[in-house]
Structures are given as C-alpha cells and as structure tokens.
C-alpha cells in the first residue's frame, strides 16, 4: 500500500514574496481602493486575454450579477444555464428576478449539451450562459451561431477557464461578457476577486459604473470636489480592493508558468490513469480548436463501484491525496431549485452521473511531477482494491 509522505491537497494557492511585498506596499500607502493597482490589474488582464475592456470585481458571482444587470435581464426573462455548474451561474439569474432554465451535459466532456440548449429556447429566452466546465471551452462557434439566430445575449462563465481559448480567442470574448474568479483554488487568486471582460465598450462602461453604486464618476480624482457626484444607474459595491488587485498583478505574471504546469500535470496524470479498469476520464484536455486551461482531471467511477465513492474519497485522503467533486449535485436537485421549480428525477441524467460518480484530481501548480507519479500509484492501488472487493 502506498501512502503519500507529503499530502497533496486538491487546491492550494501558490503565493510568493512578490505577492507579500505588493500587499505590504499597498498598506504603506494611503490608497486602499479606487487606485492605480486596480487599473494596473485590469490592464494586465486585458493584455493577457486580448480583451478590449476589463473590469475588476469582488468575485466572479459579482461580475456575473453585473453582467445580467447591465444587459437588463429581469422578471419574465429566461436564461439557459447548464445543470452541472457552480451555483453562482444560476443564482445570479435568480437574483435578477429572471428564471434559469437548466440543460443537461455532454457525457464526453461535461460541458453543456448544445442540442438540448437549443431545444430549450422559448420566446422568453434572453441569454445563453455557457460555462467552460473544468477549463475546456464550450464550442463557442456553435453558441454564437445559436445566439445570433435567436437574438440572445451570451454571458460566459469563465471561472475555471483562465488561459483557455476557442479558435484562438480567449474565453469570455466570444459572447457579450465573460466572467472570471480569483477564489483561492482557481487559476490565480486575489483572496476573493473576479473580473469581467468584454469586446463591447458600452457594456464594459456600464458594468464599471454599476460595480460602484452606479455613480457617474468612479475615480475620486475625477470629482470636482470631494462628495460631488450623481447616480446614473442602479448598482452595488462590487469593487476589488487595492490589496486584492496588487496580489492579482503578481499572480498574473506567474500565470503562463502556472498554465504550463497544469497542462503537463494533466497530460502525465491522463496517461497514468487512462485505461484503468473501473475509471472513465472526462475528456477535458482540449482539442485543436479548444485549448483547455486544465482546471483538474475528473474521473468517473464504474457503476459497479459508484456506490462506494465516499469510501474511496476517504481512503484517498488517508493515503495523502485530496480530491474534490465538481459539482456535488446538479443545480436543479439542490434544495433551493428543487423546492422552487420541482424538477423530476431523471431529467438530467448526464449531470446526475457526473455529480454522483466523479472524483476531481488536482493538477494545479502546487503539484509537481513526483506528486503526479504518487497520485497515479495511489489511485491505481485504491481502485484495484475496490474492484477486487466488488
Ligand atoms: C468558482 C466558480 C464561480 C464563483 O466564483 P466566485 O469568485 O467565488 O464568485 C462561478 N462559476 C464557476 C463555474 C465556478 O467554478
């Protein structure tokens, strides 16, 4: 039995002296928000993704909320959302008073099933909300074609897709708005934080004002005198502080290296686990058109052992391997949505299989080559023991 000497957590932010010094520098000065680091972070993020406009926010959920608010989505409107995603993707639609319409996943990749998405369109549908699940871009050529045909907005949830491109264009720049997360286990972190990017100047400008109460001038220096402003729009306080932005500037410099390590870890883990009896791997490594950002490698357990997934996760943990589940329940079957809309069992079979049979393995930059070797060994051993017992 192999036991990992140094535990491998599922996610672990990689923070260095650069981030610590950048935070100390902010704390030594007078500007804690509305400052130069925020603009520097936005400019660097725009440069990395190729976006014309980038607006830093306090989280990805905040960015998504602003996106729908800015596009005027509200009561009576429907937004098509994958069933297999983070609850934020659907909650922001609900918070705007609109209705999320859930769609099942493609069994090969876990991304939204676009045939099912198209057949869910009604006269009330206003937007499509593709989520680049586990870092593999959704077929955005098809999404945009559907959106054009039905005159829909497209809000991309890119929380797991920083660094991922489709047809050479970064995720988030195909639709109207793309939203990113800097929560600690994502590709880069600012503690909490997010970013909205867009090709559309008017959309970005509106978002940027709504991020700060809808006030007409967001930078203190632009005001004629302290306290002089008007309120043009409905908005909230969804700003990212200078402290978060300073961390983000340093994290972005490391992103190319992080992405390369993710890609290498994913490839090594894939070749170590491919073909193992009892496991099926979700094909999220990317294609020629769709470059993945390799958020994690997700494996699905065979029906013969699926009932024992919790036990397997516990055993993996005891042997030093931290895993996760993306996501533990299809959203329509979470208490809130089930209670409100009353979904029937069996409506989302693929999302249900992914949430009940999958285990997500880490490939982040905190994982090195030796860790991957150990991971393959641990998973192989534990799986063999379970298959023998089944
Ligand atoms: C993490 C995540 C979010 C939420 O991001 P926050 O920054 O925590 O708001 C939204 N969507 C997806 C797909 C995520 O994975």
């Amino acid at each position: 039995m192999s036991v990992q000497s140094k535990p491998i957590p599922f996610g672990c932010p990689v923070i260095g002296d650069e981030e610590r010094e950048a935070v100390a520098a902010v704390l030594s000065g007078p500007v804690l928000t509305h400052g130069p680091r925020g603009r520097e972070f936005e400019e660097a993020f725009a440069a990395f993704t190729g976006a014309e406009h980038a607006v830093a926010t306090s989280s990805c959920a905040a960015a998504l909320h602003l996106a729908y608010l800015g596009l005027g989505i509200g009561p009576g409107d429907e937004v098509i959302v994958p069933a297999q995603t983070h609850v934020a993707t659907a909650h922001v639609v609900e918070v705007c008073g609109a209705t999320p319409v859930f769609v099942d996943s493609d069994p090969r990749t876990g991304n939204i099933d676009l045939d099912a998405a198209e057949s869910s369109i009604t006269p009330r549908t206003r937007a499509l909300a593709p989520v680049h699940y586990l870092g593999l871009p959704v077929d955005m050529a098809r999404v945009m074609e559907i959106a054009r045909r039905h005159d829909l907005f497209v809000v991309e949830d890119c929380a797991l897709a920083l660094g991922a491109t489709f047809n050479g264009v970064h995720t988030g720049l195909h639709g109207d708005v793309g939203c990113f997360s800097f929560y600690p286990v994502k590709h880069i972190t600012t503690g909490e934080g997010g970013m909205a990017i867009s090709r559309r100047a008017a959309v970005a400008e509106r978002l940027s004002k709504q991020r700060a109460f809808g006030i007409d001038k967001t930078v203190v220096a632009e005001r004629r005198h302290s306290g002089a402003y008007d309120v043009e729009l409905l908005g909230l306080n969804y700003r990212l502080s200078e402290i978060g932005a300073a961390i983000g500037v340093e994290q972005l410099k490391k992103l190319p290296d992080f992405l390369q390590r993710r890609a290498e870890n994913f490839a090594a883990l894939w070749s170590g686990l491919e073909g193992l009896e009892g496991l099926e791997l979700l094909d999220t490594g990317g294609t020629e058109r769709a470059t993945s950002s390799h958020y994690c490698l997700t494996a699905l357990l065979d029906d013969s052992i699926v009932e024992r997934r919790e036990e397997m996760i516990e055993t993996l943990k005891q042997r030093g391997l931290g895993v996760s589940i993306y996501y533990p329940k299809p959203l329509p079957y979470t208490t809130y949505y089930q209670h409100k809309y009353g979904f029937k069992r069996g409506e989302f079979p693929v999302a249900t299989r992914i949430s009940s049979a999958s285990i997500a393995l880490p490939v982040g930059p905190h994982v090195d080559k030796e860790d991957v070797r150990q991971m393959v060994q641990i998973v192989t051993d534990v799986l063999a023991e379970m298959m023998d017992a089944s």
Side-chain angles (χ1 to χ4, degrees), residues 59-61 85-86 88-89 131 157 159-160 181-183 186 192-193 327:
S59 70
C60 178
T85 180
H86 189 289
T89 318
V131 177
D157 183 336
L160 301 180
S181 173
F182 310 130
Y183 186 73
K186 309 288 165 99
E192 294 276 8
Y327 293 87

Side-chain angles (χ1 to χ4, degrees), residues 14-33:
V14 177
I15 300 285
D17 287 340
E18 300 80 6
E19 286 83 353
R20 282 185 279 273
E21 281 160 21
V23 169
V26 172
L27 294 178
S28 305
V31 183
L32 296 183
T33 190

Side-chain angles (χ1 to χ4, degrees), residues 215-297:
I215 286 173
D216 61 345
K217 293 192 168 48
T218 50
V219 179
V220 178
E222 285 177 21
R223 296 181 194 165
R224 264 178 295 115
H225 56 81
S226 188
Y229 62 80
D230 185 25
V231 180
E232 280 177 32
L233 296 164
L234 184 63
L236 299 108
N237 179 354
Y238 278 165
R239 288 185 298 252
L240 182 67
S241 78
E242 287 286 285
I243 298 164
I247 300 172
V249 167
E250 296 307 320
Q251 288 270 292
L252 259 187
K253 293 178 190 164
K254 300 177 181 180
L255 179 59
D257 175 54
F258 287 174
L259 287 169
Q260 194 184 335
R261 281 151 73 181
R262 283 181 177 275
E264 287 166 7
N265 288 340
F266 186 97
L269 193 56
W270 182 281
S271 60
L273 299 179
E274 196 184 12
L276 277 187
E277 200 196 341
L279 273 195
E280 178 199 336
L281 306 180
L282 275 187
D283 192 0
T284 60
T287 62
E288 214 168 291
R289 283 203 306 173
T291 310
S292 178
S293 61
H294 303 105
Y295 179 67
C296 62
L297 191 152

Side-chain angles (χ1 to χ4, degrees), residues 305-345:
I305 51 171
V306 72
E307 296 295 327
R308 295 167 60 206
R309 181 180 62 166
E310 293 313 309
E311 180 193 328
M312 179 170 181
I313 291 174
E314 192 47 43
T315 311
L316 292 172
K317 196 169 132 197
Q318 279 165 15
R319 298 192 192 180
L321 175 56
V323 301
S324 189
I325 300 170
Y326 283 80
Y327 293 87
K329 259 187 187 186
L331 291 185
Y333 299 137
T334 56
T335 301
Y336 175 84
Y337 288 102
Q338 177 68 59
H339 187 80
K340 180 158 181 184
Y341 298 106
F343 295 100
K344 288 187 284 297
R345 278 180 167 279

